[in-house]
């Protein structure tokens, strides 16, 4: 179980690396896998007090939600309309 929990941490790290590189699809895929694995096996990492799993899982879920949200349409200002 600890091994699976550690895999979840590695997937979480990979998700953030992909996100920073602009590879949102890869980030979302890894983030989903990390959340699933950490929810299932995260308790095996209880002997690692510096890992705040609840916070990490929440951050990963936000990454997924924002990456999957449809883009917000740009509004055109009046000065742009006049040009």
């Amino acid at each position: 179980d600890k091994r699976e929990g550690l895999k979840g941490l590695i997937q979480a790290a990979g998700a953030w690396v992909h996100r920073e590189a602009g590879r949102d699809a890869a980030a979302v895929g890894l983030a989903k896998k990390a959340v699933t694995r950490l929810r299932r096996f995260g308790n095996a990492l209880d002997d690692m007090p510096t890992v705040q799993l609840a916070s990490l899982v929440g951050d990963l879920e936000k990454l997924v939600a924002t990456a999957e949200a449809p883009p917000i349409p740009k509004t055109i200002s009046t000065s742009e309309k006049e040009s």
Side-chain angles (χ1 to χ4, degrees), residues 12-71:
W16 291 114
V17 168
H18 283 300
R19 177 71 171 174
E20 288 185 11
R23 295 185 295 269
D24 288 347
V28 167
L30 273 178
K32 286 179 178 180
K33 289 178 182 180
V35 166
T36 299
R37 189 166 263 128
L38 290 171
R39 285 194 184 281
R40 185 165 179 200
F41 300 104
N43 61 340
L45 303 176
D46 285 345
D47 63 337
M48 304 173 84
T50 57
V51 177
Q52 298 174 349
L53 286 179
S55 178
L56 176 61
V57 168
D59 289 344
L60 289 166
E61 289 173 332
K62 287 177 191 171
L63 182 153
V64 170
T66 56
E68 290 183 339

